[in-house]
Amino acid sequence: MRILVVCKRQYTGKDLIDDRYGRLFELPERLQAAGQQVRGIALSYRRRPQVEHRSPAGVEWRSINALPLGALHYAAEVDKAVAGWKPDVIWASSDAMHAMVGRALARRYAIPYVVDLYDNYESFGMTRLPGLRAGLRRACAEAAAVTVVTDALHDKVRAQYRPRGALAMLGNGVDRSIFHPRDRRAMRRKLGLPEQARIIGTAGSITRHRGIDDMFRAFGKLAQHDDRLWLAYAGPRDGTPRSFPHPRMRDLGLLPQHAVPELLSALDVAVICNRDSEFGRYCYPMKLEEAIACGTPVLAARAGGVAERLDYRDDSLYAPGDHEGLAVKLRARLEAAAGASTLRPVSWDELALRLSDVLRSAAEARAN
């Protein structure tokens, strides 16, 4: 099966080609490794060298800059990418515009397309532009199938978009060769963290719109009465951390991918913050699955697909925005000296098999 992927190049704070990270890199990579033929068009909303890149598994990626004039030549660039190689199906992901692009290209090449929603794209700033919300809904309604990241998003799409094709769950996963349990004390020594302390923290988006101030406020409350408690965090951030200075707080900056599991494995409890918002209600945080894969106990905001993933365990969930409730549950988790998480991590290989079935069904339905 020949699969054309259309998506943006930068997402979740990473660059698809430079960082080789996340859903839009991993799923095409695993499809290619399993014997499919995959080519991808990555539209960069930032100025980057326009390259033709072959991934380790053999996915052929073509990067196009949206500005200043790339969007005007997009169709011609896609024609170059698929010359002599007509795709059987298109998988369109990233945002409302790419859902619309998938629909347009499907008409151009007379092939089916599948839209992927890894978040609620209506919550993205881009979707406020005139016509994009309606275009997103039309693209999803007319797609051969729609893949969605959470049950909440599944229900929203079914009720509001009324898709004519299949609606399939496709969560997020991890690279098990990178994210796996490691010795806690050894990781603390490697990162320069105190070995005997009790450490909470996170690796991900350290921003107010993700509700990260819940973690800082809860830590501040607990640290007043617990001299052994430390907070360690890493990831892209806004100015929020500057509002919560503390001598037992360690900022590890922007860690390379291989070091993220080292931090997660060093923690006694990983904190996954979010807000009850149009974004938070439908998302599936990558850092949740990564913490699970590292065997680290998790305490997460009850938002999006998190509650279901954590089996609705009350001791693992807190109400978004309730930093005092988070502090109470963190104290209980720390005092219980809980061992490693017993949840089984989901691998990208498993998810690629599910996606392959969805894409094949879409291609075969058109062929018949």
Side-chain angles (χ1 to χ4, degrees):
M1 183 167 54
R2 292 181 295 277
I3 304 163
L4 176 64
V5 178
V6 291
C7 62
K8 61 186 179 184
R9 180 168 167 173
Q10 292 87 22
Y11 66 108
T12 63
K14 302 288 186 179
D15 186 289
L16 186 153
I17 291 175
D18 293 342
D19 298 318
R20 302 180 182 181
Y21 172 82
R23 183 183 187 91
L24 301 182
F25 175 80
E26 294 286 1
L27 288 173
E29 192 76 349
R30 305 310 166 105
L31 289 169
Q32 179 78 22
Q36 312 298 343
Q37 297 180 44
V38 185
R39 294 185 183 180
I41 308 295
L43 186 64
S44 179
Y45 296 156
R46 306 171 192 171
R47 295 292 294 273
R48 290 288 188 273
Q50 299 194 158
V51 297
E52 294 183 25
H53 171 78
R54 189 176 183 88
S55 76
V59 178
E60 297 179 20
W61 285 102
R62 182 183 292 259
S63 171
I64 304 170
N65 285 336
L67 299 174
L69 299 174
L72 298 177
H73 306 297
Y74 187 91
E77 291 294 332
V78 177
D79 285 343
K80 292 179 187 176
V82 301
W85 183 88
K86 183 178 180 180
D88 298 303
V89 63
I90 294 169
W91 190 54
S93 189
S94 298
D95 52 29
M97 186 174 73
H98 279 88
M100 296 165 64
V101 165
R103 176 175 177 267
L105 292 177
R107 290 186 167 191
R108 185 181 184 89
Y109 301 126
I111 56 174
Y113 70 103
V114 174
V115 174
D116 176 59
L117 304 178
Y118 65 69
D119 276 324
N120 173 21
Y121 296 160
E122 291 190 16
S123 71
F124 291 9
M126 170 184 285
T127 313
R128 290 195 290 268
L129 294 173
L132 286 192
R133 184 184 297 265
L136 169 64
R137 296 190 173 203
R138 186 185 310 112
C140 290
E142 297 179 6
V146 179
T147 51
V148 294
V149 75
T150 63
D151 283 333
L153 194 52
H154 179 284
D155 293 344
K156 173 184 173 67
V157 170
R158 182 171 56 187
Q160 298 180 12
Y161 298 4
R162 301 184 181 278
R164 302 169 196 168
L167 187 54
M169 280 290 301
L170 192 71
N172 282 323
V174 289
D175 183 342
R176 297 289 300 277
S177 69
I178 298 175
F179 290 91
H180 55 79
R182 304 167 191 231
D183 182 79
R184 181 175 293 165
R185 289 191 177 183
M187 294 303 100
R188 290 181 176 185
R189 287 194 297 271
K190 188 170 184 179
L191 295 172
L193 298 172
E195 290 185 44
Q196 303 301 324
R198 302 201 293 187
I199 306 177
I200 66 172
T202 197
S205 179
I206 314 298
T207 59
R208 193 171 297 276
H209 89 277
R210 291 293 185 93
I212 200 65
D213 48 316
D214 288 347
M215 181 183 73
F216 289 110
R217 293 180 189 278
F219 168 74
K221 187 176 183 65
L222 293 175
Q224 294 177 34
H225 309 288
D226 186 351
D227 293 339
R228 293 180 55 209
L229 185 64
W230 284 67
L231 172 65
Y233 62 93
R237 77 286 310 279
D238 57 16
T240 303
R242 293 195 296 271
S243 300
F244 302 96
H246 195 281
R248 297 198 306 276
M249 197 178 290
R250 187 66 56 82
D251 178 0
L252 297 174
L254 291 172
L255 291 176
Q257 178 72 352
H258 67 82
V260 172
E262 296 173 358
L263 171 56
L264 292 174
S265 296
L267 302 176
D268 290 288
V269 180
V271 183
I272 313 297
C273 297
N274 216 329
R275 284 187 167 178
D276 182 18
S277 64
E278 278 300 303
F279 173 83
R281 288 182 210 118
Y282 301 101
C283 74
Y284 187 109
M286 288 282 298
K287 55 191 168 183
L288 172 62
E289 202 64 39
E290 292 170 354
I292 290 172
C294 290
T296 303
V298 172
L299 221 167
R302 188 187 292 269
V306 169
E308 181 182 16
R309 184 68 180 96
L310 296 178
D311 294 333
Y312 299 97
R313 289 181 48 134
D314 188 63
D315 63 347
S316 298
L317 297 162
Y318 79 96
D322 181 10
H323 72 273
E324 292 189 353
L326 172 58
V328 169
K329 294 194 174 185
L330 277 170
R331 182 185 295 115
R333 292 298 296 271
L334 290 166
E335 291 177 354
S341 169
T342 58
L343 293 171
R344 188 185 71 83
V346 178
S347 72
W348 289 120
D349 293 294
E350 297 173 64
L351 295 170
L353 286 174
R354 294 185 207 170
L355 178 56
S356 181
D357 289 342
V358 172
L359 295 172
R360 189 175 299 281
S361 294
E364 290 176 351
R366 176 63 62 91
N368 294 331

